[in-house]
Amino acid sequence: MSCLSGQERGTNKVPVEHLDYSFIEKCTDVRYLEKILRILRSGEEGIFPHLIEYCEKHIRKLDPKSRALRKEKPPATAASFTKEEWSQITDELKTWEEEIKVNEVKIKQTPLLCNEENVPPVRGSHCSIQVKSYSIGANKTKKNAAPPRDYRDWDKFDVEKECAKIDGDITENEPAVIINHGLPKIRRKMDTAALTEQEKIQLADREKDKGNEAFRSNDYQEAVAYYTRSLSVLPTVAAYNNRAQAEIKLQHWHSALADCQKVLEMEPGNLKALLRRATVNKNLGDLQIACDDVKTVLCSEPQNMIAKRLLEELNTLMRKNTHGVASKGKKISIQEVEEECEELEQELPSHKQAKGFSQRVGGDSSRSTAPKERGDMGNTHKKSHGRNEGVGGGGSPHAEPQHAWRGKGGKNANKYKVQPNGEAPDSDRDKDKLSNGNCRGQPNDSKKTEQAEEKVNLDAPAGALPPPLARLKNEGNQLFKNGQFADALEKYSQAITGFTEAGIDSPEDLSILYSNRAACYLKDGNSTDCITDCTRALELQPFSLKPLLRRAMAYESLERYQKAYVDYKTVLQIDMSVQAAHDSINRITRLLIEQNGPEWREKLPEIPVVPLSAQRHRVEAPPTAEEAQARAERAAQEAAKRAEAQFTVLKMEGNDFVKKGQYQEALGKYSKCLTLKPDECAIYTNRALCYVKLERFSEAKQDCDSALRLEPSNKKAFYRRALANKGLKNYVACSSDLKEVLQLDPTVQEAERELEEVTMLLKNSQDSPDKPRRNVPITEVEEGDEEETQAPSRGPEEVKENSPGSQNHCSDGPDANAQPTNAYDFGQALNAACSRGDVAACTELLRSTSPEKLPLYICSHLDGHTLSFIIKVLDTHLMETDPKLVYQHLSHLHTADRFSVVLMLLDDNERLQMTQLFEHLSAVECEDFSNTDIQNLASKYIRASV
Amino acid sequence: MSTPLEKPQIIAHIQKSLNYTIFDSKWIPCSAKFVCMGNFARGTGVIQIYEIQRGEVQLLKEIEKAKPIKCGTFGATSLQQRHLATGDFDGNLHVWNLEAAEVPVYSVKAHKEIVNSIDGVGGLGIGEGAPEIVTGSRDGTVKVWDTRQKDTPVANMEPVEGEAKRDCWTVAFGNAFNEQDRCVCAGYDNGDIKLFDLRNMSVRWEKNIKNGVCCVEFDRKDINMNKLVATSLEGKFHVFDLRTLHPTKGFASVSEKAHKSTVWQVRHLPQNREIFMTAGGAGNLHLWKYEYPAQRCKKDAEGVDMGVAGTVNLLQNVTLSSQPIASLDWSPDKQGLCVCTAFDQSVRVLIVTKLNRV
């Protein structure tokens, strides 16, 4: 612009000398350049194609969106694309044409599904809106000053009326702003009753698209609503995955987690879901789990940038959790004070993250969603309390000191993670432990109650310290806890001076004081002093854990990695369970290798050998039994709390599966539930139900037993155990269980019915005590399995058809070839054998059944498949060993009811088999029957069937 | 072309010259077919059904009607029935079963003069609530029809008695995200845009864009209304963000001078509401993408919420004809497939590539 004088810009004319490379190059006024371009293009001053091009290029550089650059373009043709692209485009269209034609035919063929009653009624009676044309001037005339009043008018002037008029004007002129978010009004579930499958797919897809669009415009709640709608039509991986992402944006971690789990169930190894789950877990504080997920992703896709970044974040978070504050310097104290405020406001919604959220979403975050959000955030918060880990979210990676003080214990591996951030300075109890030679230094548990009351007795005696010093120390602890590290530092320093002046000989106490002061230094980012204090503390009290850990962190923050490494190693020698040390060592090792190459180990200073007496894991002497128990309880509580969310999700899913009849899947869910919460009676009974349905009776029984152990009067458990016992044919136990149920609740009709049935069965089995049941060894069943390949394969439907009483016959089938005593037993055994294609069992069965009774027994079970199965068995298994029996069976079989009907239903293969059977039979020489007998018999089978 | 083909490209896949003036074209949902509606030189109306078959369009059916047909829609029919609703030069609204089109399924003398524009909602799974048809006419009225009610409209937006009647050029449904809420937007020849709330039967918002409004369309009919594009006679179009209505400033908008001549049509991509195509009077097509601002809502000086408009980016433009492109329709089934008709009496099937990468 500098090159343009005002005069030139003012005129419309562009001087000819401006149509020049050097001028265009210098000019930065896009408008003017556009003008130049226009002249150049018009050809008024001659045609300079290169100059035009140059000018265009220059404009593009300055303003890529300039309108002057828009040229009329012909539509693209095949020539605009590479061969592959073009063929891809045309092929895609062709396949689409074919697909859509098929779909169209399908839609035409499906009967018209009318959904009349679901269509909303016709809009109310003929209504109309009067439309005025909107004139721009309309508002202006209103603004025109009113003509001055006539003097006479003032006599009639009514002040109040005029005032009201003015007020009215104001309200009229300023209607409230309308923020248009129909979110609560969107139905979450769609009515799909009258839709064909095709339409459902389309609909689900469209709703998902709507969700995607809402997501892209940052309307995450709307996006969730639309994804939910899509899922209500047709659950798809993509919709779950996207909903998870939207939930993440809304920081609804638990819903997001549930969605990720769903995806991973439907499609294990879905990378997006894994990444999203990792993000959720990161924010829920489960850094390790998150890490695992990210690593899985990186395994299959090592170049995944998101995963890499996430892993980095996770690593920094973990590092921060373990020691992070040291390097951050003095900012921390302020930050922590802020966090403390949050902590106090915990009941209010103004949690930092919640605030952030509502601002981000801006006007869209409606009031109705606020409480929900609050609840969620509350959860996250609680979680991080419980877990003793950094507060979720990137915003506040440091756990507040209070967390550790109130610390709910946590798992062994976790407890040290917190220490460095929210570490409680060692206190008196430490001393006791130390003197026991136990450097565990984890006073949180025992101190919890004391601290929770928030009433700290500052004069509490502290070891061998005289009261004034003890007071100083306690004050220091208190200040430290409040995050006032500088003040705490002062108190500790006073205590130390007082200590030396007093000349007390108590190295433990002095060591603790130094160690505590070191903690303050560490917090203040003063690593050098921290190291000095730690060293002093260690001189006084060698191999105490906390000073070592602190010194290691200080070294690390000073980038003296070798020393840090040695200290961490020493820490691990004392207590293997310090997770922070493990993590840091991993990290430092990497750094050291980078620095010193493969020989880094040789350059390390010597790692001191920790005497056995100081090794925590060797001297596994928990202070008292009660404390250990208390800790264990807390740990259990902790685990339970964490598992709670997951547990409920799993349980719900399990119940859903049961409702759908997918027992196998439900089984998996319940089993997972039980790993989380092994003492939930309802889950045991539910799982038992699944087992019963799947006919795995012995497992069902076990589950019922477990349930009854937990709840000795659970009637469901009794009832299901009865069913299981029935399945196991243990009728006595079954009836006693049923009686138990009826005693607990006499109104259970199912139990009564079962009881009747079982009593019958019981009587039957008792009636024939002389026929002992033979337990078939398992090997025999396996044999049967092998032979299954020979047996004609049976579809699942056939099996069902063959076993109407399927809930009663047991799948293990040890009793399948016991001697049948009545039609029922025979039918059961036959069905079992038939459905499994167990030829051996059937052979046994036929062997043990007397031919005379066969028609009687078989009549109710006779169908084509059974018949052909029996024929096959007779032919292949009984023929060689006992042709007489085959003959007898055959001569009686055709007298069974419905035999002729069944015979007609046989297919060609089966008929062929029958002919073969008779051929084989006639080939056998036997004195019990002649060839004519066989022919007579064969005619009954074959002629009737032809 | 020297530039790498990362941008979407518009391919003129098929072109076919016809022997009548085509006013409107619409894809038949769930098919590779489309209908063209227009006016024979002898003054009768015509509906033709074409199917694309391996790079060709095949005429499947031709239906001649007494009056020239101006506009049509499938918006209020079910996917199974796929009845076409049309408006003609005589002010009639007809609903045709294209399989048996001798007699209309529904017929009403809707307006005194030509039906300029028609739109449907509630069918095809798009939009909750009852299927309804809206028509806008030169007689100045905008009427909403329910085919279950004979002869009379279920809603009527008519000019105040005595005031000059403005020619309504375009109508569109929107905001049909639940059974109760529904809006109709109408554009008039004097530049008025009016947003009627059918739930409250009131004018929700109005605006004058100074030049005749040729086409209005919501970015999606079946969501809580989000954006509205209105095109105008002198080559501009306006995108309104409908989420925040400021008491005095109304909806925030961004406008763009797209064409050197009238913008006849705007159509949003059914698969992505942020992308839309405008069709111009000089036979050109412009493909746009709307980008949201960082914050869609901010406080004005008095602390009242007001919307913030985003920006529009041109993705691609092509010139197809020397005559205005009067109608444009995206295939609801195949992303990137669209049909357009121009006053050069030809129909074109276009493919727009790389839309999912935008």
Side-chain angles (χ1 to χ4, degrees):
Chain A
M1 267 201 293
S2 55
C3 52
L4 291 173
S5 72
Q7 193 194 2
E8 275 165 336
R9 290 187 64 199
T11 59
N12 274 333
K13 269 198 130 186
V14 177
V16 182
E17 53 266 36
H18 285 176
L19 307 178
D20 179 55
Y21 285 100
S22 57
F23 177 81
I24 290 172
E25 192 182 355
K26 270 185 268 165
C27 184
T28 51
D29 184 349
V30 179
R31 283 276 172 83
Y32 193 72
L33 281 171
E34 282 173 3
K35 210 179 271 177
I36 292 175
L37 186 64
R38 213 172 304 135
I39 289 167
L40 283 171
R41 278 179 180 166
S42 70
E44 280 168 23
E45 309 283 348
I47 294 168
F48 310 100
H50 283 290
L51 188 59
I52 294 176
E53 204 177 296
Y54 183 77
C55 187
E56 282 172 359
K57 226 161 98 189
H58 194 62
I59 294 176
R60 186 171 294 129
K61 209 157 61 189
L62 294 170
D63 180 10
K65 284 205 252 167
S66 165
R67 232 168 261 153
L69 294 173
R70 285 179 202 159
K71 279 191 263 181
E72 292 205 342
K73 277 185 251 172
T77 57
S80 327
F81 298 89
T82 63
K83 217 173 176 184
E84 294 86 58
E85 279 177 320
W86 182 251
S87 63
Q88 197 194 338
I89 291 166
T90 46
D91 289 349
E92 217 174 271
L93 195 69
K94 255 180 225 161
T95 39
W96 173 75
E97 269 176 53
E98 279 153 25
E99 273 170 26
I100 200 81
K101 273 166 200 170
V102 173
N103 283 344
E104 196 184 1
V105 172
K106 258 191 230 161
I107 282 193
K108 272 186 194 161
Q109 280 168 351
T110 46
L112 214 60
L113 293 161
C114 267
N115 200 15
E116 287 298 335
E117 61 269 34
N118 282 342
V119 177
V122 179
R123 200 172 287 281
S125 61
H126 181 88
C127 34
S128 62
I129 305 173
Q130 297 288 307
V131 181
K132 273 187 232 157
S133 113
Y134 177 91
S135 59
I136 313 160
N139 281 344
K140 279 181 191 159
T141 50
K142 220 179 184 180
K143 275 182 197 157
N144 283 348
R149 284 175 196 274
D150 196 277
Y151 282 116
R152 278 164 292 172
D153 278 357
W154 287 105
D155 299 335
K156 296 179 244 165
F157 190 78
D158 181 346
V159 181
E160 298 220 337
K161 212 170 164 185
E162 289 296 311
C163 284
K165 211 163 132 194
I166 289 164
D167 286 346
D169 277 358
I170 288 165
T171 47
E172 223 172 81
N173 286 345
E174 284 180 18
V177 63
I178 299 167
I179 296 172
N180 178 23
H181 49 85
L183 184 66
K185 290 178 251 161
I186 299 174
R187 273 195 308 172
R188 301 302 159 110
K189 242 184 131 190
M190 301 192 77
D191 173 36
T192 54
L195 296 184
T196 61
E197 210 48 38
Q198 185 68 28
E199 285 174 299
K200 273 188 196 170
I201 295 169
Q202 277 198 338
L203 192 61
D205 222 40
R206 194 160 41 221
E207 294 300 317
K208 197 192 77 206
D209 281 350
K210 279 152 79 174
N212 290 350
E213 286 165 356
F215 184 88
R216 279 194 290 258
S217 59
N218 301 341
D219 289 333
Y220 301 120
Q221 298 188 3
E222 207 178 306
V224 169
Y226 283 121
Y227 289 136
T228 311
R229 277 161 71 92
S230 173
L231 289 170
S232 79
V233 179
L234 204 74
T236 56
V237 168
Y240 273 122
N241 229 339
N242 292 356
R243 191 169 71 177
Q245 185 63 35
E247 303 269 19
I248 287 173
K249 292 278 184 187
L250 289 171
Q251 309 192 347
H252 294 163
W253 307 120
H254 293 287
S255 332
L257 190 64
D259 281 346
C260 290
Q261 306 280 34
K262 279 260 171 59
V263 174
L264 290 171
E265 264 162 42
M266 293 162 84
E267 194 185 305
N270 185 305
L271 296 185
K272 274 188 192 170
L274 280 172
L275 273 181
R276 282 167 195 172
R277 191 168 69 178
T279 315
V280 172
N281 278 326
K282 183 185 107 190
N283 288 294
L284 287 175
D286 293 332
L287 298 183
Q288 200 51 53
I289 303 173
C291 235
D292 292 345
D293 277 346
V294 176
K295 279 171 189 159
T296 324
V297 173
L298 283 175
C299 269
S300 47
E301 226 178 73
Q303 295 309 315
N304 192 317
M305 283 313 291
I306 305 168
K308 278 185 182 167
R309 217 173 307 137
L310 193 58
L311 189 64
E312 246 166 57
E313 275 171 36
L314 282 168
N315 280 337
T316 26
L317 268 183
M318 282 192 190
R319 196 153 44 213
K320 272 184 191 150
N321 273 358
T322 51
H323 80 124
V325 209
S327 53
K328 276 248 178 162
K330 295 193 174 152
K331 268 186 193 166
I332 277 84
S333 58
I334 300 163
Q335 252 181 344
E336 275 178 354
V337 172
E338 275 175 13
E339 279 159 9
E340 205 178 304
C341 294
E342 271 165 36
E343 171 106 309
L344 293 172
E345 289 173 286
Q346 205 185 334
E347 302 304 316
L348 301 169
S350 57
H351 184 279
K352 203 182 202 168
Q353 290 176 346
K355 253 191 257 168
F357 164 75
S358 55
Q359 272 167 8
R360 194 146 47 80
V361 175
D364 271 3
S365 80
S366 60
R367 251 179 234 145
S368 63
T369 55
K372 193 176 157 202
E373 182 66 20
R374 194 184 311 164
D376 235 34
M377 296 316 299
N379 258 344
T380 334
H381 210 96
K382 226 189 275 164
K383 197 115 184 170
S384 49
H385 269 279
R387 317 218 68 217
N388 274 3
E389 285 185 351
V391 175
S396 47
H398 320 284
E400 293 99 298
Q402 294 90 328
H403 285 191
W405 277 81
R406 291 186 191 157
K408 293 181 181 161
K411 290 186 294 183
N412 245 6
N414 280 349
K415 65 194 177 201
Y416 289 102
K417 268 192 186 168
V418 208
Q419 261 188 352
N421 314 335
E423 185 178 18
D426 316 23
S427 77
D428 324 294
R429 295 219 191 216
D430 267 28
K431 199 207 75 192
D432 299 337
K433 286 183 199 162
L434 286 170
S435 52
N436 283 346
N438 180 345
C439 308
R440 242 186 115 234
Q442 181 58 29
N444 298 354
D445 298 348
S446 43
K447 269 200 295 199
K448 186 186 143 205
T449 43
E450 194 184 307
Q451 296 298 339
E453 285 167 5
E454 292 289 346
K455 273 190 261 158
V456 179
N457 180 4
L458 291 176
D459 289 321
L465 294 178
L469 293 182
R471 193 189 163 80
L472 275 174
K473 185 187 158 194
N474 286 336
E475 276 172 3
N477 289 358
Q478 185 68 30
L479 286 167
F480 184 93
K481 194 186 85 180
N482 290 343
Q484 296 161 284
F485 303 117
D487 296 341
L489 189 76
E490 206 177 299
K491 294 284 175 203
Y492 289 133
S493 301
Q494 281 175 16
I496 290 168
T497 358
F499 197 91
T500 34
E501 274 167 11
I504 307 162
D505 180 34
S506 169
E508 298 97 336
D509 285 314
L510 192 56
S511 164
I512 290 168
L513 282 175
Y514 275 123
S515 170
N516 286 2
R517 197 168 72 175
C520 295
Y521 280 129
L522 192 64
K523 284 276 179 197
D524 269 0
N526 186 345
S527 303
T528 348
D529 282 339
C530 172
I531 292 169
T532 336
D533 269 2
C534 288
T535 317
R536 264 187 223 140
L538 287 169
E539 276 162 12
L540 292 161
Q541 199 71 38
F543 302 116
S544 50
L545 196 84
K546 284 193 171 187
L548 265 174
L549 205 54
R550 281 173 194 154
R551 192 168 68 176
M553 286 170 196
Y555 275 134
E556 197 184 342
S557 67
L558 287 177
E559 301 190 358
R560 284 151 76 176
Y561 295 119
Q562 293 174 338
K563 290 201 166 161
Y565 184 86
V566 171
D567 275 351
Y568 279 128
K569 272 285 179 197
T570 324
V571 167
L572 287 181
Q573 282 185 59
I574 297 165
D575 188 345
M576 279 302 284
S577 65
V578 185
Q579 189 57 41
H582 280 294
D583 293 345
S584 303
I585 281 188
N586 285 340
R587 200 168 46 240
I588 291 174
T589 312
R590 234 176 296 139
L591 289 166
L592 283 174
I593 294 173
E594 258 172 49
Q595 272 183 4
N596 300 340
E599 297 88 38
W600 62 278
R601 264 178 209 284
E602 288 157 28
K603 292 179 186 164
L604 282 181
E606 199 189 342
I607 300 168
V609 179
V610 178
L612 281 187
S613 61
Q615 286 180 17
R616 149 106 180 86
H617 60 282
R618 307 237 170 182
V619 198
E620 196 67 60
T624 55
E626 289 97 49
E627 228 170 286
Q629 202 192 343
R631 203 176 300 129
E633 261 172 36
R634 258 189 296 276
Q637 271 175 14
E638 169 58 29
K641 201 173 283 174
R642 186 161 24 96
E644 189 72 42
Q646 208 183 344
F647 174 81
T648 11
V649 170
L650 283 168
K651 186 177 163 190
M652 296 294 282
E653 286 170 352
N655 291 351
D656 285 348
F657 276 129
V658 169
K659 272 178 214 151
K660 288 184 214 150
Q662 293 164 299
Y663 299 109
Q664 195 64 47
E665 287 86 348
L667 200 62
K669 295 286 168 203
Y670 289 137
S671 301
K672 273 191 210 154
C673 278
L674 286 175
T675 52
L676 291 171
K677 257 195 187 180
D679 53 352
E680 193 73 2
C681 181
I683 301 298
Y684 279 114
T685 55
N686 287 359
R687 194 168 70 168
L689 177 68
C690 295
Y691 277 130
V692 168
K693 293 282 181 194
L694 291 169
E695 296 174 17
R696 287 157 68 175
F697 297 114
S698 47
E699 280 127 320
K701 192 171 166 236
Q702 272 176 10
D703 270 356
C704 293
D705 289 344
S706 314
L708 288 172
R709 227 172 288 134
L710 293 165
E711 249 181 65
S713 58
N714 185 317
K715 59 185 178 194
K716 270 191 196 170
F718 274 120
Y719 180 67
R720 285 171 192 163
R721 190 166 73 178
L723 289 181
N725 276 328
K726 191 175 154 202
L728 292 169
K729 309 227 163 163
N730 188 349
Y731 300 121
V732 187
C734 177
S735 76
S736 81
D737 278 343
L738 287 172
K739 278 172 194 156
E740 199 77 45
V741 176
L742 290 172
Q743 209 163 19
L744 288 167
D745 186 354
T747 58
V748 187
Q749 288 173 350
E750 293 100 316
E752 261 176 78
R753 224 174 299 133
E754 283 297 332
L755 188 59
E756 269 169 40
E757 200 177 318
V758 166
T759 330
M760 260 259 294
L761 288 170
L762 196 57
K763 217 176 276 169
N764 283 339
S765 61
Q766 279 164 351
D767 281 346
S768 49
D770 49 330
K771 288 178 184 168
R773 278 160 202 280
R774 234 189 311 163
N775 264 348
V776 178
I778 297 157
T779 48
E780 210 165 329
V781 177
E782 278 170 2
E783 252 172 50
D785 285 346
E786 272 166 25
E787 280 163 2
E788 198 173 30
T789 46
Q790 295 167 15
S793 65
R794 279 147 203 290
E797 294 128 53
E798 295 168 51
V799 174
K800 220 186 265 168
E801 193 179 282
N802 285 347
S803 50
S806 62
Q807 64 166 9
N808 291 335
H809 85 249
C810 80
S811 56
D812 299 341
D815 295 315
N817 40 19
Q819 278 191 19
T821 52
N822 55 15
Y824 180 78
D825 276 4
F826 179 86
Q828 291 294 298
L830 184 63
N831 274 335
C834 195
S835 62
R836 280 175 293 129
D838 189 344
V839 189
C842 189
T843 315
E844 278 303 307
L845 185 71
L846 288 174
R847 246 190 240 286
S848 56
T849 312
S850 69
E852 295 81 27
K853 283 190 180 161
L854 188 66
L856 192 68
Y857 285 170
I858 209 165
C859 61
S860 62
H861 302 278
L862 197 62
D863 58 27
H865 294 294
T866 327
L867 183 62
S868 83
F869 187 62
I870 290 173
I871 300 288
K872 185 181 146 68
V873 168
L874 289 175
D875 191 12
T876 55
H877 284 73
L878 274 175
M879 184 66 77
E880 281 175 41
T881 49
D882 200 350
K884 185 184 158 199
L885 188 66
V886 174
Y887 175 76
Q888 284 173 344
H889 272 313
L890 283 172
S891 56
H892 283 100
L893 188 59
H894 70 89
T895 59
D897 286 353
R898 299 196 303 129
F899 176 80
S900 52
V901 180
V902 173
L903 209 53
M904 281 193 282
L905 297 173
L906 294 184
D907 62 25
D908 290 346
N909 261 343
E910 288 161 338
R911 281 189 190 141
L912 190 71
Q913 209 172 30
M914 188 104 72
T915 330
Q916 275 169 0
L917 171 69
F918 282 104
E919 275 167 17
H920 292 157
L921 195 62
S922 55
V924 179
E925 292 202 2
C926 185
E927 54 196 25
D928 293 301
F929 51 90
S930 67
N931 265 351
T932 15
D933 289 338
I934 292 170
Q935 246 146 38
N936 285 341
L937 190 59
S939 66
K940 290 203 173 88
Y941 283 81
I942 294 159
R943 186 160 27 102
S945 66
V946 170
Chain B
M1 291 207 173
S2 56
T3 49
L5 296 163
E6 278 315 300
K7 296 198 291 184
Q9 297 293 322
I10 301 172
I11 304 165
H13 181 53
I14 309 165
Q15 178 171 355
K16 190 174 177 74
S17 289
L18 307 178
N19 59 347
Y20 60 94
T21 310
I22 319 156
F23 290 117
D24 204 359
S25 57
K26 283 280 182 298
W27 286 99
I28 301 180
C30 199
S31 76
K33 295 180 229 166
F34 58 88
V35 289
C36 291
M37 292 152 271
N39 178 15
F40 274 131
R42 54 181 172 269
T44 53
V46 58
I47 302 171
Q48 283 187 329
I49 304 172
Y50 286 95
E51 179 162 41
I52 51 168
Q53 289 168 357
R54 309 192 165 266
E56 297 283 322
V57 285
Q58 217 76 48
L59 177 65
L60 297 185
K61 197 169 198 174
E62 181 176 302
I63 304 155
E64 193 168 347
K65 293 291 162 196
K67 294 291 170 196
I69 294 169
K70 179 67 186 16
C71 48
T73 181
F74 285 101
T77 180
S78 77
L79 205 53
Q80 284 179 316
Q81 290 177 318
R82 297 186 292 179
H83 291 168
L84 175 69
T86 61
D88 67 16
F89 273 37
D90 220 21
N92 292 307
L93 166 66
H94 293 298
V95 179
W96 308 99
N97 179 1
L98 293 173
E99 311 268 321
E102 295 75 34
V103 193
V105 179
Y106 178 83
S107 170
V108 67
K109 169 84 178 162
H111 297 275
K112 293 186 196 104
E113 287 176 78
I114 178 176
V115 178
N116 280 321
S117 177
I118 191 167
D119 194 19
V121 76
L124 310 174
I126 298 177
E128 308 256 325
E132 283 176 339
I133 297 166
V134 63
T135 53
S137 160
R138 185 176 289 163
D139 68 6
T141 59
V142 173
K143 292 180 183 174
V144 180
W145 306 88
D146 189 313
T147 52
R148 292 170 293 177
Q149 178 172 312
K150 275 185 182 172
D151 305 328
T152 51
V154 290
N156 185 4
M157 279 71 80
E158 57 194 354
V160 178
E161 201 89 6
E163 205 172 293
K165 285 172 180 168
R166 307 306 328 200
D167 189 348
C168 175
W169 280 352
T170 175
V171 287
F173 270 120
N175 208 28
F177 63 97
N178 65 18
E179 286 187 7
Q180 295 83 37
D181 285 285
R182 188 166 287 187
C183 282
V184 166
C185 186
Y188 297 85
D189 65 339
N190 61 346
D192 276 359
I193 301 172
K194 292 180 192 296
L195 186 64
F196 304 108
D197 187 331
L198 293 182
R199 183 183 192 170
N200 303 326
M201 289 311 287
S202 62
V203 177
R204 191 151 171 179
W205 167 74
E206 51 189 337
K207 166 100 183 162
N208 187 290
I209 58 168
K210 291 180 191 143
N211 284 290
V213 186
C214 296
C215 186
V216 290
E217 196 188 45
F218 290 91
D219 57 355
R220 265 186 193 275
K221 291 175 191 171
D222 54 345
I223 56 169
N224 175 22
M225 55 181 186
N226 184 51
K227 289 194 326 275
L228 177 82
V229 179
T231 70
S232 73
L233 201 61
E234 96 300 5
K236 265 191 181 175
F237 69 84
H238 303 253
V239 187
F240 297 93
D241 185 317
L242 302 180
R243 283 294 161 92
T244 313
L245 180 59
H246 188 272
T248 52
K249 294 190 178 87
F251 293 121
S253 76
V254 60
S255 73
E256 176 83 18
K257 170 110 177 144
H259 302 255
K260 292 191 182 74
S261 50
T262 306
V263 189
W264 280 74
Q265 281 277 325
V266 57
R267 286 288 174 255
H268 286 85
L269 186 67
Q271 291 85 6
N272 185 349
R273 68 178 187 195
E274 267 46 282
I275 296 175
F276 56 92
M277 183 111 91
T278 54
N284 41 21
L285 293 176
H286 286 196
L287 185 68
W288 304 90
K289 184 173 192 223
Y290 183 83
E291 305 274 359
Y292 290 97
Q295 291 262 312
R296 289 182 74 178
C297 184
K298 68 174 184 198
K299 304 262 185 223
D300 66 0
E302 280 119 44
V304 184
D305 283 308
M306 60 186 281
V308 184
T311 53
V312 281
N313 291 330
L314 181 69
L315 297 176
Q316 189 57 271
N317 63 309
V318 293
T319 307
L320 293 173
S321 158
S322 53
Q323 297 296 310
I325 293 173
S327 80
L328 178 74
D329 193 37
W330 292 101
S331 163
D333 303 299
K334 170 85 182 147
Q335 174 167 299
L337 192 64
C338 85
V339 60
C340 69
T341 64
F343 284 150
D344 60 1
Q345 298 205 337
S346 63
V347 58
R348 291 174 179 83
V349 177
L350 311 174
I351 302 173
V352 184
T353 63
K354 295 192 176 72
L355 281 171
N356 45 2
R357 263 180 256 173
V358 176

